Amino acid sequence: MQKHTSVAPVLANSPAAANASGPDTHFSKRSAWLLWGGLLIVLAGALLAHFIQTAGGVRIQDVRFTGADGTPMSAHLYIPASATSKTPAPGILAVHGYFNSREAQSGFAIEFARRGYVVLALDQTGHGYSAPPAFANAFGGIDGLKYLRSLDFVDKDNIGLEGHSMGGWTVVNAAAAMPDAYRALVLEGSSTGAPFAPEGTPDFPRNLAVVFSQYDEFPGIMWQIGAAKDVASSKKLWSVFSTDAPVETGKVYGDIEGGTARILHTPAITHPMDHISPTAIGHAIDWFQKTLKGGNPRPADDQVWHWKETGTAIALIGLVAFALGLFATLLRLPYFQSLCTPAVAEAPAQARDGKWWATVIASALVPALTFLPLCRLGGDLLPASTLLPSLFVNEIAFWALGNALIALIVLRVVGTKVLQGFDQIARSAVIALITFGVTYSLVAAVQFFLTVDMRFWFMAFKPMSAWQASAFPVYLLVFAVFFAVLFRAHFAMLGQRVSGAVGLYGLSVATFAGGFVLFLGVEYGSLLLGHKLIEFHMFDPLRIIIAINFVPVMAAVAIAGVFIYRRTARVLPAAFLCALFVTWYMVVGQAMQSAP
C-alpha cells in the first residue's frame, strides 16, 4: 500500500514554496485587498441594515432588565417616532424560537415598527444575552410582557403578542399569566397546549392568528398531525377554533371585539423560513392591523425588512474576507514569517485513481451520515451541565470528536504520519488569536454603534454573553482537535493529487460541505414530496435544521483552510483559526440549557 507522507505537495506555486524567506509580493497585495475590501464590505452592509431598520425615525435600543428570580433579561426595543408619553403607541412583544436570539425577529419587528408599533424583540431565557437556563421562567415571556407594559409610551390597551416556534409557547404562557394584558396573538410555526404551553380554547388566547406552513418540520409536536399540510384537519386546532370541520384558511372565526377571533394561514414554506417569508410576516402584519387600534396602517405587502437582511448578509461575507485578509497580512510580520516556510520539500501531484475518488466520496459522506446518529448518542452521553452548558453544542462536539477519530484511524491504516506538519504551535496559536480578536472587536463595534450583528437568516456572528464566553474555552479545545485532524487528513490524502488553487478550493468545498448538501437534499426532498422528514428521534427535526448551518459553515471552513494552508504549508494555523470562529458561531447560536 502506498504511504501518504507529504504535507505540502499542493503548494507548488504558493508563496510558501516560491519564497521560503517570506510571503511574496503577489500574495501581499491580495492580502491588502482582502483586508481593506472586507472592512469596507462589512461597513457598507452594516450601514445598509442600520438605515433600513431605523427608517422613518425608528429608534432601536439594546435594553436589559431584571426578570423573575433576579434573572437578567435582554431585548431590542424598537420605538417609532410617533410613540411618546403623550401619544402612547400600540406595543408588540415579539419572541424568537429555539436556538435563535432577538435579531431573528427583526423582519417582523422592522415591519411592526414601520406601522407605528413599539416592539420588544425579546431574548428568551438561555438565549442571546438573557441568562440561562433555557426554558426557565416560562421562557421569559411574562417578564417581557411586564417590561413592555411598564413603558409610558406604550398603549397598554393595545398590545399584541407574536412568537415563532418556541417563541409561540413563550407568548402563550405570557397570555395565560396576564390574560388582560394583551389584545391579540400571532403564532408563527407554533401552537397552544402540550408540551410547553397552556391549552387553547375557543376564547384563549384572545384574537388568535395561526400561521403554520405547509412544510413545517414540527407538525406532530405542534398540532398532533402527521403532516403540516393537514393542519386544517387537526382536532387540536378545531378545539381552539370552536369547529368540528376542517378550518378554512383565511377565514375569520369568532369576533374581534369579543376577543374570540381566529384565523389560519398556511404559506407554502418551511418552519425556519417563517423568519424570511414576506407572506408569513405579512399575515402577522395584517392580523395586528385588524385587531390592534392605533399605529400607522400600511398594506401588508409593503415590506422593506429584506434589505436589512441583505445588509447583514453582505456584512457577514465581508467579515470572512476581512478575517482572511488580516491573517495573511499578519504573515508579513517578522514574527510570523517562519510560518510561511514549507515543512517538507514539494512532491509532484499524483494521478487521481479509483481509490482517490472513493476517498473523496467517503470524506464527503461520512460526516453527513454520522451526523444524526452521533448527535443522538452525544445528547444521551453529554447532557447539559455546568462544564458543558449547551446540549446541542455538546451533540455537535461529540459528532466532531467521532469524525476526528474516524479520520485518525484512516490515517493510520494508510500509513500517513498523523502529526507531520504540526510544528510552530505557539506562532500558529498567536496569529489565530490576533486574527480572531481583531475580527471579534469589529463585530462588537458594529453592534455597539449600529445595533446590527453579522447574519443571514438564523446564522449569525455577534459578541458573546458572559455565560457564552465562560463556556467558550472548553468547546474550543474540542473543535481545535477536530479541525487539526480534519485538515491533516484532507491535505495529506486528497490535496496532494490536485494542482492549482481553483481545483483545491473546489475539492475542499465539495468534500467539507457536499455531504451535508446531499443529506439536506434527501431530507427536504422527502418533506417537499412526501410532506415528512426522515426522522427517528423527537429531536431529529431540530438537528436537521441545525444541519442547514453546516453547509455555509463547512464551505467557509474549506475556503479558510485552503487559503491558509497554501500560504503556510501547515495544519495548525488553519485549525486554530477555524476552531476559534466555529466555536464562537456555535455558542452564540445555540441555547444554553444549564448555567456555566
Side-chain angles (χ1 to χ4, degrees):
M1 179 179 295
Q2 181 179 0
K3 293 186 177 182
H4 303 281
T5 58
S6 175
V7 173
V10 298
L11 305 177
N13 297 309
S14 73
N19 186 8
S21 64
D24 68 9
T25 303
H26 174 67
F27 274 87
S28 297
K29 290 181 178 178
R30 185 178 299 176
S31 302
W33 276 106
L34 276 174
L35 175 64
W36 297 110
L39 178 61
L40 288 175
I41 292 171
V42 167
L43 295 178
L47 285 169
L48 172 61
H50 173 75
F51 287 129
I52 290 297
Q53 68 184 11
T54 58
V58 173
R59 291 180 291 124
I60 301 179
Q61 296 179 356
D62 183 344
V63 298
R64 310 297 166 95
F65 56 96
T66 302
D69 303 323
T71 301
M73 297 296 296
S74 162
H76 272 160
L77 182 65
Y78 295 70
I79 308 171
S82 58
T84 68
S85 58
K86 293 182 178 180
T87 58
I92 295 176
L93 174 65
V95 189
H96 62 84
Y98 211 7
F99 308 145
N100 287 300
S101 62
R102 57 194 185 179
E103 291 86 358
Q105 283 287 295
S106 63
F108 293 90
I110 288 169
E111 297 306 329
F112 296 156
R114 290 180 69 226
R115 289 159 176 82
Y117 303 138
V118 176
V119 185
L120 187 72
L122 183 73
D123 275 334
Q124 291 183 40
T125 50
H127 295 72
Y129 301 119
S130 290
F135 298 87
N137 302 333
F139 312 97
I142 300 170
D143 296 327
L145 182 53
K146 288 180 178 178
Y147 180 82
L148 180 64
R149 290 182 60 82
S150 72
L151 303 173
D152 63 2
F153 47 83
V154 171
D155 179 358
K156 297 170 182 57
D157 293 326
N158 281 282
I159 288 181
L161 308 176
E162 180 270 328
H164 176 258
S165 192
M166 199 163 84
W169 298 335
T170 304
V171 296
V172 171
N173 276 282
M178 303 174 66
D180 298 321
Y182 74 103
R183 184 174 175 83
L185 191 151
V186 175
L187 294 176
E188 293 272 354
S190 191
S191 65
T192 58
F196 294 113
E199 291 294 338
T201 67
D203 55 9
F204 175 81
R206 181 179 290 113
N207 291 333
L208 172 66
V210 176
V211 183
F212 200 73
S213 304
Q214 296 176 29
Y215 302 102
D216 196 285
E217 290 89 334
F218 303 98
I221 194 172
M222 295 298 181
W223 292 107
Q224 299 175 2
I225 49 177
K229 67 180 180 64
D230 298 324
V231 65
S233 298
S234 163
K235 292 185 178 180
K236 179 180 177 180
L237 188 71
W238 290 3
S239 66
V240 180
F241 276 64
S242 189
T243 183
D244 56 3
V247 176
E248 295 181 37
T249 58
K251 174 184 174 181
V252 177
Y253 291 70
D255 174 58
I256 291 176
E257 289 303 317
T260 61
R262 273 96 177 87
I263 194 168
L264 171 67
H265 295 289
T266 57
I269 53 176
T270 64
H271 184 84
M273 289 182 71
D274 289 340
H275 295 296
I276 55 171
S277 166
T279 303
I281 293 173
H283 289 319
I285 293 169
D286 183 66
W287 188 244
F288 285 134
Q289 290 189 158
K290 282 185 170 70
T291 55
L292 300 181
K293 297 177 181 179
N296 307 306
R298 294 174 180 263
D301 60 357
D302 176 5
Q303 301 179 24
V304 300
W305 62 267
H306 53 277
W307 289 110
K308 185 266 181 182
E309 192 78 15
T310 300
T312 56
I314 290 171
L316 183 59
I317 294 169
L319 191 72
V320 175
F322 174 82
L324 294 179
L326 176 61
F327 182 95
T329 300
L330 290 172
L331 283 175
R332 300 165 60 184
L333 299 178
Y335 179 74
F336 297 118
Q337 284 187 6
S338 61
L339 289 174
C340 298
T341 304
V344 297
E346 298 295 329
Q350 303 170 24
R352 294 191 288 272
D353 55 16
K355 290 183 179 179
W356 184 86
W357 284 108
T359 304
V360 170
I361 294 171
S363 297
L365 292 183
V366 169
L369 291 174
T370 58
F371 181 70
L372 289 180
L374 288 180
C375 283
R376 293 182 196 122
L377 182 59
D380 293 336
L381 298 178
L382 299 173
S385 63
T386 301
L387 182 64
L388 301 170
S390 178
L391 173 62
F392 286 91
V393 178
N394 295 352
E395 292 193 358
I396 296 167
F398 189 84
W399 164 86
L401 289 177
N403 277 267
L405 179 60
I406 292 170
L408 285 172
I409 292 171
V410 172
L411 285 171
R412 294 293 297 171
V413 168
V414 301
T416 300
K417 294 180 180 179
V418 174
L419 297 181
Q420 190 165 330
F422 280 32
D423 61 334
Q424 300 275 0
I425 296 175
R427 282 178 170 80
S428 298
V430 171
I431 194 171
L433 284 168
I434 293 174
T435 303
F436 175 78
V438 174
T439 307
Y440 187 95
S441 298
L442 174 60
V443 171
V446 168
Q447 176 163 297
F448 180 80
F449 290 107
L450 301 178
T451 323
V452 166
D453 62 358
M454 312 285 150
R455 77 167 42 241
F456 175 70
W457 201 1
F458 54 85
M459 296 167 275
F461 283 109
K462 56 187 292 185
M464 290 180 278
S465 69
W467 306 281
Q468 293 162 346
S470 66
F472 179 84
V474 177
Y475 292 123
L476 176 62
L477 291 174
V478 174
F479 288 110
V481 171
F482 170 62
F483 286 118
V485 175
L486 177 69
F487 287 137
R488 172 60 181 141
H490 178 72
F491 291 118
M493 298 177 62
L494 298 178
Q496 62 182 327
R497 304 196 185 190
V498 177
S499 60
V502 174
L504 188 56
Y505 278 114
L507 168 71
S508 301
V509 171
T511 53
F512 285 21
F516 285 99
V517 172
L518 182 60
F519 167 72
L520 292 168
V522 171
E523 286 289 354
Y524 280 94
S526 175
L527 181 64
L528 295 177
L529 297 176
H531 292 274
K532 283 188 177 183
L533 292 170
I534 303 170
E535 55 181 289
F536 304 96
H537 187 282
M538 68 173 294
F539 284 143
D540 278 358
L542 284 171
R543 297 185 181 109
I544 291 166
I545 291 173
I546 290 172
I548 295 173
N549 293 261
F550 279 68
V551 175
V553 169
M554 294 307 289
V557 163
I559 292 169
V562 172
F563 181 91
I564 295 169
Y565 192 75
R566 292 185 71 240
R567 286 157 175 78
T568 65
R570 288 177 173 81
V571 165
L572 291 184
F576 289 160
L577 188 68
C578 289
L580 284 162
F581 278 88
V582 170
T583 305
W584 175 22
Y585 179 82
M586 290 290 178
V587 298
V588 299
Q590 295 291 327
M592 301 189 77
Q593 291 80 11
S594 178

